[in-house]
Amino acid sequence: MDEKNLENRDAMDETALEGEYYTLTDEEGNELQFEVIGSAELNGQIYYAMIPVDDQPNEEGVCEYVILKAEQDENGEDFLVSVDDDDEFDDVADYFDDMLSSETDYDIDAEEK
């Protein structure tokens, strides 16, 4: 999935988007529901970690997420694209992996107390 249109987004507030649902349209015109599970601004770019709503966890109980980058078209309309540069993707994926694993660790620690 390369390019996605982002509908119903009011602002680029990173924390406000987490846990919200969006319908994204892929390059073939298919509409898919995604939940934002994290967002970050890195090196002047805004990135989103999202999971498909219909995605089922694997054997370990984990759902894989996608990383999309926010961009604007010539009319100022926001849209999301996949991260094609391998180094950029690795940096952003590492950031989200650290962020999401620390949230999971925190939740586990809280349940044990």
Side-chain angles (χ1 to χ4, degrees):
M1 289 189 221
D2 279 332
E3 190 171 305
K4 313 261 185 220
N5 293 324
L6 181 60
E7 299 175 2
N8 302 323
R9 189 173 77 197
D10 296 325
M12 296 297 284
D13 181 353
E14 295 173 24
T15 57
L17 292 175
E18 294 177 18
E20 292 192 20
Y21 297 86
Y22 294 91
T23 300
L24 303 177
T25 305
D26 66 14
E27 64 276 359
E28 296 161 359
N30 300 315
E31 290 187 351
L32 303 166
Q33 290 279 36
F34 283 82
E35 178 182 5
V36 176
I37 59 171
S39 61
E41 183 173 337
L42 302 168
N43 301 320
Q45 291 286 322
I46 297 176
Y47 300 90
Y48 298 97
M50 300 179 153
I51 56 171
V53 171
D54 296 332
D55 199 17
Q56 297 298 316
N58 62 18
E59 298 85 37
E60 292 86 33
V62 175
C63 290
E64 292 193 26
Y65 62 92
V66 296
I67 297 173
L68 300 173
K69 177 171 55 171
E71 293 190 356
Q72 286 190 339
D73 65 15
E74 61 277 353
N75 298 322
E77 295 289 324
D78 293 328
F79 65 99
L80 299 175
V81 296
S82 59
V83 180
D84 294 329
D85 179 87
D86 290 339
D87 292 333
E88 178 184 11
F89 181 85
D90 290 343
D91 290 344
V92 176
D94 287 344
Y95 177 85
F96 279 122
D97 286 346
D98 290 344
M99 181 184 80
L100 295 172
S101 68
S102 69
E103 288 179 10
T104 302
D105 292 344
Y106 175 77
D107 291 341
I108 291 170
D109 291 342
E111 290 175 11
E112 292 176 356
K113 291 183 180 185

